[in-house]
Amino acid sequence: MNEKKTAIVTGASRGIGRATAVELAKTGYFVIINFKSNETAAAETLKLVQSAGGDGEVFQFDVADTAQTKNVVKAIVERHKNIQVLINNAGINADGLFLLMGEEEWDSVINTTLKGFYNITKPVLREMVRRKCGSIVSVSSLSALMPNRGQANYAAAKAGIIAASRALATEVARFGIRVNLVAPG
């Protein structure tokens, strides 16, 4: 049986995630479009994926929620079998001066951006290791290295993505799994 190539793109309802989903569709991937709250935007991404000659499916889940993410990844794997690519794009910002930043602003950015990386990568990676192939691409930001004022939480989360991805790359290369970083401006 010839299984279709499948990619999961977190935070795919707009911006970098949407553009990535469309490009993956152009190269023959069936694209799993993750979104947290904007169903209309996610449906528009799916239309763009289909217009690009590909196909996909929309899954609503919050990558910051460990149990929810694990359950959805299980359902995706049961349905699509061969997850070849994971794009860790989901992230949020809640800029504000550190002295004025509440714990909620700190936690929401860290939980979506950095913990979300953990929550989605771990169950997908288990499948990739089992199959001994796959690619993970993590989207960071130049703010991780040169943050703007008021971005302590965002810079910390994006720097964590860089460090975690580099460490993960050394752990899983022997299984034929590539881990890469992109840091758009």
Side-chain angles (χ1 to χ4, degrees):
M1 183 170 130
N2 189 11
E3 295 178 342
K4 64 183 176 269
K5 301 184 303 183
T6 303
I8 298 173
V9 183
T10 65
S13 63
R14 60 187 183 88
I16 292 168
R18 174 180 279 175
T20 303
V22 171
E23 289 303 312
L24 285 164
K26 288 178 184 177
T27 61
Y29 282 90
F30 184 91
V31 183
I32 303 297
I33 299 161
N34 158 253
F35 76 101
K36 178 182 174 184
S37 59
N38 192 337
E39 187 172 358
T40 302
E44 179 61 28
T45 299
L46 180 58
K47 286 180 188 172
L48 291 169
V49 161
Q50 292 166 336
S51 294
D55 201 4
E57 189 172 2
V58 174
F59 280 85
Q60 180 178 14
F61 62 98
D62 181 358
V63 295
D65 183 322
T66 306
Q68 183 183 49
T69 301
K70 185 177 178 181
N71 289 334
V72 171
V73 169
K74 182 179 178 187
I76 291 169
V77 168
E78 286 173 1
R79 191 175 186 128
H80 298 285
K81 309 291 183 244
N82 186 9
I83 307 301
Q84 293 181 324
V85 174
L86 170 62
I87 308 294
N88 282 308
N89 174 65
I92 61 170
N93 61 12
D95 293 354
L97 296 177
F98 188 78
L99 282 174
L100 302 176
M101 185 179 293
E103 188 174 350
E104 183 178 321
E105 287 86 12
W106 179 268
D107 287 347
S108 66
V109 172
I110 298 295
N111 288 342
T112 297
T113 307
L114 188 54
K115 187 174 183 199
F117 164 90
Y118 171 84
N119 288 343
I120 189 79
T121 301
K122 189 169 182 179
V124 171
L125 185 60
R126 285 186 194 281
E127 290 302 312
M128 289 179 174
V129 167
R130 188 178 62 75
R131 296 176 78 90
K132 297 199 179 349
C133 70
S135 294
I136 298 170
V137 178
S138 299
V139 180
S140 185
S141 170
L142 292 179
S143 293
L145 304 173
M146 297 173 41
N148 294 313
R149 236 177 109 210
Q151 290 189 322
N153 52 0
Y154 184 74
K158 290 298 189 173
I161 292 290
I162 292 170
S165 295
R166 286 180 175 165
L168 183 59
T170 65
E171 293 177 21
V172 299
R174 64 191 169 116
F175 298 110
I177 299 163
R178 296 179 310 261
V179 180
N180 296 301
L181 281 162
V182 293

